Amino acid sequence: MFRNQYDTDVTTWSPTGRLFQVEYAMEAVKQGSAAIGLRSRSHVVLACVNKAQSELSSHQKKIFKVDDHIGVAIAGLTADGRVLSRYMRSEAINHSFTYESPLPVGRLVVHLADKAQVCTQRSWKRPYGVGLLVGGLDESGAHLYYNCPSGNYFEYQAFAIGSRSQAAKTYLERRFESFGDSSREDLIKDAILAVRETLQGETLKSSLCTVSVLGVGEPFHFLDQETIQKVIDTFEKVAEDEEVEAGDGEAAVAPAEEGGDGGAGAGDQDVAPMEM
Amino acid sequence: MTFTIPIDNGDALKNAEADSQRTLYPYVTGTSIVAIKYKDGVLMASDMGGSYGSTLRYKNIERMKAIGKHSLLGASGEISDFQEILRYLDELVLNDNMWDDGNSLGPKEVHNYLTRVMYNRRNKFNPLWNTLVLGGVKNGESYLGMVSMIGVSFEDNHVATGFGNHLARPILRDEWHADLSFEEGVKLLEKCMRVLLYRDRSAINKLQIAKITEEGVTVSQPYSLKTFWEFKAFNNPTAGAEGSW
């Protein structure tokens, strides 16, 4: 995307019918560190990569609890994300207070989208520079939505946003058809595997990712590092096992070789010399 | 066509002129509502009277109305305030339907919304002069609750308003049990309504019974109860105390 004379104001259309400021805001989402969401019929898992400014600092919080039955993962300008999370919490708690009932996630997402749209049609505002993956429950089960700075929202079975999210999306595209009936454990495993895809070769450790789960009968909560590490171990171990087996194979070969040499000494014709 | 222009004097708590627009006492009132949970849902009974003080002035007032798909609201107290509440709920249900997203307001949500409305009005010293009974069924679960004009709110297996609290609930406490059939439920409600008819002077002998189940709401046609006045004690009631009435 290059600079042009129609991109100064959010309220200026380009001759080809584009609002460049809104599109630039969506670029900001692509620069943030990855966030991934996937859902089955009854559960939603949100996972993200923990990016820290430097080794000295702590990592930014990118997943927020909105209510017991709604969570949100953000990518982009985290300050904007925090403000929107506060708005979502406010909406959810007001609904809960008035109706003694959880706010259906589909309705929250529409409120959020309408709020974002306002910023695309006022000359004194700017669009929110953050993409939100909203996971939650309503009467028809578990849902995952993606809210854009443009004010659009879409429902997904699985999605990834932020930098290097394409790698995660490719992984999810291969597997998403089975997610609907996935067990909770398989869903978590797939989420962590998708996070691994975005790391592009960096070793996956539990300290590098944050994972949250919510579902029917299970309020939103974060998984602790131990649990995440255990899941990582189940698939990272497979790679280790192959190395160990190769090592054992070599060890097994050596004594046989000695035996073979002994045998060869006694009767050369009977025992074929072992080949390394 | 003539109509009055409402006077907006602003905040009823701070502005002296607006004070005159606060509710002070009720004018046209409905008497008790009695309601019970039964096997398939909730049954509610009310008479069709609207009293103007001690005059039984209006005899065709429907004091029970369906709300949305899942709820039934009955009201005693000021009839005009009940009509105002129905307008609030109309708007609520309309907005809920406009979402068109498979979610809908159940009886619990409506009950809590009404509790908030009643309590907030009471805090502004401008109450809606009603005691409301909210019953309903959603996803197989029956719900029955009550809200008073000061915002007191609770749920129970059987509720009553006004005189019903004193005359009907003792009967219900003895004779209500879970899983009443429809016929048993109606008989029980009629027993309560008959006692109220004898003893509550603002009751009239024209009642309706409403039923709400998973299928929806039905309000019966108005009918009257058979009464018996030939008790021996009613003949020559002053026999033991000459001069009294």
Side-chain angles (χ1 to χ4, degrees):
Chain A
M1 232 178 282
F2 295 110
R3 273 234 70 195
N4 54 72
Q5 53 182 199
Y6 308 109
D7 68 355
T8 309
D9 251 307
V10 73
T11 50
T12 305
W13 287 101
S14 83
T16 54
R18 293 159 73 170
L19 289 169
F20 280 101
Q21 278 297 306
V22 175
E23 295 184 24
Y24 295 165
M26 315 231 303
E27 278 299 310
V29 177
K30 297 182 198 163
Q31 303 302 325
S33 59
I36 286 141
L38 11 55
R39 70 153 170 113
S40 70
R41 241 182 286 281
S42 58
H43 286 80
V44 184
V45 177
L46 297 169
C48 72
V49 175
N50 296 340
K51 203 200 241 175
Q53 288 282 64
S54 74
E55 275 191 33
L56 299 167
S57 73
S58 63
H59 66 84
Q60 285 218 308
K61 194 162 171 210
K62 284 162 52 82
I63 304 186
F64 299 91
K65 172 177 168 175
V66 170
D67 202 342
D68 282 333
H69 68 295
I70 302 179
V72 61
I74 63 173
L77 265 53
T78 38
D80 282 1
R82 228 176 32 245
V83 160
L84 287 177
S85 301
R86 188 165 56 232
Y87 169 74
M88 291 165 78
R89 285 171 175 168
S90 178
E91 290 295 291
I93 212 171
N94 283 337
H95 190 273
S96 244
F97 174 71
T98 311
Y99 302 102
E100 228 3 87
S101 190
L103 173 62
V105 64
R107 299 190 181 186
L108 175 62
V109 159
V110 174
H111 286 310
L112 201 51
D114 288 346
K115 194 169 158 72
Q117 190 280 340
V118 169
C119 299
T120 66
Q121 212 174 6
R122 308 277 185 270
S123 61
W124 61 90
K125 285 183 181 260
R126 65 157 176 82
Y128 289 104
V130 64
L132 304 118
L133 279 172
V134 184
L137 302 174
D138 70 15
E139 272 180 50
S140 42
H143 298 268
L144 175 69
Y145 295 92
Y146 171 53
N147 277 70
C148 262
S150 60
N152 280 326
Y153 68 97
F154 307 93
E155 187 168 0
Y156 287 94
Q157 188 76 46
F159 201 49
I161 56 177
S163 68
R164 295 196 285 236
S165 59
Q166 188 50 55
K169 269 191 266 192
T170 316
Y171 173 81
L172 294 169
E173 269 165 31
R174 276 187 271 130
R175 310 280 296 262
F176 78 95
E177 263 150 355
S178 63
F179 288 164
D181 296 311
S182 263
S183 72
R184 176 187 176 278
E185 285 63 37
D186 281 339
L187 211 63
I188 294 173
K189 190 160 156 209
D190 274 316
I192 298 177
L193 281 167
V195 169
R196 189 173 72 157
E197 297 294 313
T198 67
L199 294 173
Q200 306 281 45
E202 214 181 319
T203 348
L204 177 62
K205 288 178 287 199
S206 64
S207 56
L208 273 178
C209 56
T210 306
V211 184
S212 71
V213 188
L214 70 95
V216 176
E218 186 179 351
F220 176 96
H221 64 101
F222 290 99
L223 297 181
D224 58 44
Q225 298 294 9
E226 249 186 79
T227 320
I228 300 175
Q229 192 58 52
K230 277 208 197 96
V231 179
I232 295 175
D233 288 340
T234 57
F235 50 82
E236 291 292 322
K237 207 167 177 223
V238 173
E240 282 175 39
D241 272 344
E242 286 167 8
E243 291 173 35
V244 175
E245 277 170 24
D248 279 348
E250 289 170 17
V253 164
E257 192 195 3
E258 287 167 9
D261 281 357
D268 292 359
Q269 293 82 20
D270 294 335
V271 181
M274 292 300 292
E275 272 185 287
M276 274 292 283
Chain B
M1 179 177 87
T2 58
F3 56 92
T4 49
I5 299 162
I7 306 166
D8 181 17
N9 279 322
D11 191 340
L13 286 167
K14 291 190 218 161
N15 191 343
E17 285 83 41
D19 218 22
S20 65
Q21 301 203 14
R22 285 206 226 139
T23 304
L24 294 172
Y25 17 74
Y27 286 90
V28 179
T29 55
T31 183
S32 324
I33 303 262
V34 188
I36 55 174
K37 279 194 198 171
Y38 80 111
K39 187 167 54 104
D40 304 322
V42 172
L43 284 168
M44 201 183 290
S46 82
D47 70 14
M48 299 194 75
S51 305
Y52 187 63
S54 54
T55 310
L56 297 174
R57 188 163 172 189
Y58 301 103
K59 307 219 179 154
N60 200 25
I61 312 250
E62 272 201 45
R63 298 195 287 118
M64 297 183 293
K65 292 283 179 173
I67 311 291
K69 289 191 284 264
H70 306 283
S71 315
L72 172 65
L73 175 67
S76 66
E78 174 62 60
I79 299 297
S80 64
D81 281 349
F82 174 52
Q83 290 169 344
E84 183 79 350
I85 289 168
L86 288 176
R87 269 192 288 275
Y88 287 151
L89 289 174
D90 236 355
E91 205 182 316
L92 189 72
V93 170
L94 182 73
N95 286 322
D96 191 44
N97 287 339
M98 283 206 311
W99 280 105
D100 198 19
D101 63 351
N103 295 298
S104 56
L105 291 170
K108 181 163 82 140
E109 286 81 11
V110 178
H111 184 218
N112 279 285
Y113 172 77
L114 288 170
T115 308
R116 290 292 116 237
V117 170
M118 300 300 271
Y119 184 64
N120 274 304
R121 288 290 297 254
R122 165 260 198 193
N123 283 340
K124 294 196 276 198
F125 282 91
N126 190 13
L128 289 159
W129 208 285
N130 294 108
T131 309
L132 305 168
V133 173
L134 201 296
V137 188
K138 194 171 174 203
N139 297 333
E141 276 186 53
S142 307
Y143 185 93
L144 181 59
M146 211 175 94
V147 196
S148 77
M149 67 187 255
I150 55 171
V152 173
S153 155
F154 57 89
E155 284 172 63
D156 208 339
N157 291 320
H158 47 81
V159 298
T161 69
F163 263 95
N165 273 309
H166 302 107
L167 299 172
R169 291 205 75 193
I171 300 174
L172 296 170
R173 283 184 205 119
D174 270 344
E175 299 187 25
W176 183 90
H177 57 87
D179 297 319
L180 287 160
S181 72
F182 175 71
E183 290 73 27
E184 287 174 320
V186 172
K187 236 174 110 188
L188 189 53
L189 281 179
E190 283 183 349
K191 185 169 180 177
C192 297
M193 295 306 278
R194 187 171 288 109
V195 173
L196 285 166
L197 181 58
Y198 284 132
R199 296 294 177 178
D200 179 6
R201 70 145 186 210
S202 17
I204 61 168
N205 197 2
K206 185 177 174 195
L207 68 144
Q208 291 178 300
I209 298 216
K211 161 177 86 126
I212 178 160
T213 62
E214 192 76 53
E215 279 83 55
V217 177
T218 26
V219 184
S220 74
Q221 286 300 310
Y223 67 104
S224 49
L225 295 169
K226 279 207 276 280
T227 55
F228 182 72
W229 298 96
E230 302 316 309
F231 290 110
K232 283 231 195 68
F234 292 167
N235 293 334
N236 203 10
T238 61
E242 289 296 328
S244 60
W245 59 95

